[in-house]
Amino acid sequence: MSGLLAAGPDGGPGDFAVDVLAVVEQIPAGRVLSYGDVAELVGRGGPRAVGRVMSVYGSGVPWWRVLRVDGSFAPEVFARAVRHHRDEGTPMRPGGERVDMRLSRWDGG
DNA sequence: GCAATGACTGGTA
DNA sequence: TTACCAGCCATTG
């Protein structure tokens, strides 16, 4: 527990959200994880729940390293996410609009 | 406590 | 390859 984020009854994120953010922080540069993969590493919840956590509290973590299972991004973050990955050298598919999950997917540690 | 929401996923056509 | 449908689950009002 790094202490940067903490669950609290004072309107803070739930325990699930804190765990999701902790996993995302562990993703190394140049690697990515799908929403479902994050949920699996957390051990509970699902891709929808992870997506919701990212939309609300994702600003404090490398959110661009979490994307759809097919390597595409949500329209809201597409432009910024692609810029980050190009800067990190993440393997992209021809066209540069999707990440090559085959090569970029993080194994979890 | 119930119903709606959303940065999703897998299967089928 | 793309498009549509049903299931999924934590969070919010």
Side-chain angles (χ1 to χ4, degrees):
Chain A
M1 170 57 163
S2 301
L4 288 171
L5 292 170
D10 60 317
D15 292 342
F16 173 75
V18 175
D19 207 353
V20 168
L21 295 174
V23 170
V24 176
E25 289 183 332
Q26 304 306 307
I27 305 174
R31 296 291 179 188
V32 300
L33 227 53
S34 71
Y35 295 91
D37 289 339
V38 174
E40 187 175 358
L41 289 173
V42 170
R44 79 185 261 112
R48 300 305 300 267
V50 173
R52 175 168 280 279
V53 172
M54 297 301 293
S55 69
V56 180
Y57 302 106
S59 59
V61 298
W63 52 263
W64 59 91
R65 294 174 190 159
V66 182
L67 55 160
R68 292 179 173 169
V69 71
D70 64 350
S72 64
F73 298 95
E76 298 288 355
V77 302
F78 174 81
R80 300 178 200 169
V82 171
R83 193 193 313 169
H84 278 292
H85 285 295
R86 290 173 67 85
D87 183 60
E88 294 184 355
T90 307
M92 305 289 291
R93 281 187 169 239
E97 59 185 26
R98 289 196 212 173
V99 171
D100 190 333
M101 294 298 287
R102 185 184 59 182
L103 300 176
S104 306
R105 186 181 282 195
W106 184 42
D107 53 23

